[in-house]
Amino acid sequence: MSSMQFYHCSCFYTDNIFLPEFKLHIRYMSEEQFRQTYGAILRNRGCSTTEHFQKVLKQIEKEIYRRKLLDEEVIKRSAMIREIYKPFHRHVYVLQESYLAPEFLEIVTFSKCENASVDRLPKSIVQLAAPRTYRIPVFTEEFCRDFIEELENFEQSEAPKGRPNTMNNYGVLLNELGFDATFLTPLREAYLCPVASLLFSDCGGYTLDSHKAFVVKYALQQDLDLSYHYDNAEVTLNVSLGKDFTEGSLYFGDMRQVPISETECVEIGHKTTHGLLHRGQHMHGALPLTSGQRWNLIIWMRSSVVRNQLCPMCNKKPELVEGVGFADGFTREAPTPSANTESCVVI
C-alpha cells in the first residue's frame, strides 16, 4: 500500500447516485434541487404520485447515509472478516507470476521496451470495435478456477459483505477480503501500469497510483445486467473469470461527454481468462444474462495527477474529505502533470 494519504471528493456523498428503478444517475443537494432537476424525468419514467416520489427521496437519503458511514463500515467489516473467515485457497491472496498468462507477460515486457508503440502491438492485444478498447489475456484457467472457488467460499460464509457499488448488489470488495497489499497493488504497479502507460498515456497511464478492485457476480434471480454508465477511474480492467453462462455481453458507446442520442453502441462478448482494457470515462453497460453465472474482476485504476485537477464525478476541482485506504484516489499533493496526462481525450 502506498504511503500517500488518499481522499474522497466531497461529491462522493451527493453525486452519481443510481436509482435502479428508473435506470438514472442523479445528483442530490436538496429536495428542491432534486425536484427541479429530475422531477419531469421521473414522471416520464413512471414516478407519478407523491407517495412514489417520497419513497424515492427516502432511498436517496438512505444511500447518502450509507456513504457517510462507508469508511467506518469498511474498517469494521475488514476486521470481522480477518477474525472469522477462513480462506479456502490461501495461495490466491499473494500474486505469483504463474497465475498470469504467458501472453500477458509478453505484453508487459513489450510495453516496457523503449521502442514500444501502439502501431506495432503484439497480436495478443486485440483492438476491438469500440474505440481504444482492447482485449488481452490476463490469467491462467487454473487461477480463475481457484479464485472463483475462494470467492464462492467467502460468499457462503457468515462473514459480513459490502456491495461493490450502487449498481452491483452481488460480488466481493477485494480490499475488505485482504487482496490489496499482496495481490492487487503488485498487479497494478508491476504489470498493469506498463501496459496502461503504452495504451492510455493521455488518461494517466504513466501515473496510476491507486485503485478500487471488486468482483461482480451476475446470475438468475440476482443481478442480470448493468445500466449504461462510466467508471470512477482513469483506466479500467474488466477480466472475465467464468463460469458457464449465456449472453451478458458488454456494450460500449462513446465517452461520457457525448449524449447517448448521438451514440452508436457496439457489443463485445466475454472471453474467460481475458480482460477488457478501456478508458474509465468510456460509457458502457452489460446486457442481460440468460443462464448460468458470470464472475468478473473489475479494477478501477486511478491517477491522482489527473483527478487532483478535475473530479470525474462532479467535473470540478475536488474538495477533499478524508478516506480509508485508497479512498477515491485524490491526494493533497499537486504534482505538475506531464503533457500526456492532462485529460482523457474524446476520440
Side-chain angles (χ1 to χ4, degrees):
M1 182 74 72
S2 171
S3 60
M4 285 194 296
Q5 173 67 49
F6 291 92
Y7 297 84
H8 298 294
C9 176
S10 60
C11 75
F12 173 72
Y13 303 118
T14 58
D15 287 40
N16 209 35
I17 296 174
F18 183 61
L19 303 179
E21 180 181 358
F22 306 101
K23 295 188 180 298
L24 181 67
H25 287 87
I26 63 98
R27 182 173 188 245
Y28 186 88
M29 302 302 296
S30 67
E31 181 175 339
E32 180 181 2
Q33 167 267 329
F34 181 70
R35 286 182 180 275
Q36 290 179 350
T37 306
Y38 303 104
I41 298 174
L42 291 176
R43 285 192 294 273
N44 288 336
R45 299 190 184 186
C47 184
S48 56
T49 66
T50 300
E51 292 77 11
H52 198 171
F53 188 84
Q54 290 300 318
K55 180 181 177 182
V56 173
L57 286 179
K58 288 184 178 180
Q59 291 173 347
I60 294 170
E61 291 169 356
K62 182 179 179 181
E63 173 59 20
I64 292 173
Y65 181 73
R66 185 191 73 86
R67 294 186 182 193
K68 289 182 176 179
L69 295 181
L70 183 60
D71 285 349
E72 180 182 330
E73 292 299 315
V74 166
I75 293 172
K76 289 180 180 178
R77 281 196 302 267
S78 299
M80 290 183 66
I81 290 169
R82 288 194 300 270
E83 181 179 349
I84 69 175
Y85 177 64
K86 296 181 179 180
F88 183 63
H89 286 307
R90 290 186 179 274
H91 65 275
V92 301
Y93 288 79
V94 180
L95 180 65
Q96 305 290 333
E97 277 207 347
S98 60
Y99 302 164
L100 304 175
E103 298 89 346
F104 177 63
L105 296 176
E106 292 173 0
I107 291 170
V108 175
T109 299
F110 171 82
S111 300
K112 293 178 179 179
C113 293
E114 289 186 7
N115 61 348
S117 72
V118 293
D119 297 325
R120 47 187 298 272
L121 296 175
K123 292 181 179 179
S124 53
I125 299 180
V126 179
Q127 300 188 56
L128 301 170
R132 300 185 65 190
T133 301
Y134 305 90
R135 176 181 283 119
I136 60 173
V138 180
F139 297 120
T140 64
E141 291 183 5
E142 181 180 5
F143 171 76
C144 289
R145 183 189 67 241
D146 288 353
F147 191 33
I148 289 178
E149 287 180 356
E150 175 60 31
L151 298 172
E152 289 177 326
N153 186 64
F154 176 68
E155 185 182 47
Q156 294 163 10
S157 74
E158 296 181 357
K161 302 163 185 72
R163 61 179 177 173
N165 52 65
T166 57
M167 299 180 73
N168 294 103
N169 296 299
Y170 297 90
V172 179
L173 289 163
L174 294 177
N175 63 319
E176 295 184 5
L177 195 49
F179 277 90
D180 257 357
T182 56
F183 188 100
L184 293 161
T185 296
L187 179 64
R188 170 175 52 82
E189 292 179 344
Y191 300 96
L192 295 176
C193 275
V195 180
S197 296
L198 174 63
L199 300 177
F200 302 106
S201 61
D202 58 330
C203 301
Y206 291 99
T207 56
L208 298 171
D209 52 6
S210 70
H211 61 262
K212 177 179 178 178
F214 49 95
V215 172
V216 292
K217 177 188 176 186
Y218 296 87
L220 301 182
Q221 310 305 319
Q222 297 184 3
D223 288 337
L224 289 176
D225 57 11
L226 189 64
S227 295
Y228 199 54
H229 68 286
Y230 65 93
D231 300 333
N232 186 0
E234 275 62 72
V235 179
T236 294
L237 175 66
N238 181 337
V239 183
S240 177
L241 302 170
K243 299 175 147 182
D244 293 330
F245 58 88
T246 55
E247 303 299 334
S249 295
L250 300 180
Y251 60 95
F252 285 81
D254 213 315
M255 297 295 280
R256 67 183 177 92
Q257 298 90 341
V258 181
I260 190 171
S261 59
E262 301 175 14
T263 297
E264 182 176 347
C265 292
V266 297
E267 185 175 336
I268 296 175
H270 300 278
K271 187 174 182 179
T272 304
T273 73
H274 287 58
L276 299 179
L277 264 174
H278 62 85
R279 294 164 292 177
Q281 296 183 43
H282 194 161
M283 298 292 293
H284 59 285
L287 297 170
L289 193 78
T290 55
S291 70
Q293 292 183 11
R294 178 165 70 82
W295 294 76
N296 285 61
L297 166 64
I298 314 295
I299 305 178
W300 289 350
M301 292 178 280
R302 294 156 168 174
S303 165
S304 61
V305 171
V306 172
R307 58 185 42 223
N308 284 354
Q309 301 174 75
L310 188 73
C311 171
M313 296 289 106
C314 65
N315 295 315
K316 299 177 182 177
K317 180 75 175 178
E319 297 180 4
L320 302 183
V321 295
E322 289 192 9
V324 169
F326 287 129
D328 279 322
F330 301 93
T331 68
R332 291 199 182 279
E333 300 175 13
T336 302
S338 71
N340 290 322
T341 57
E342 291 184 359
S343 65
C344 202
V345 296
V346 182
I347 295 177

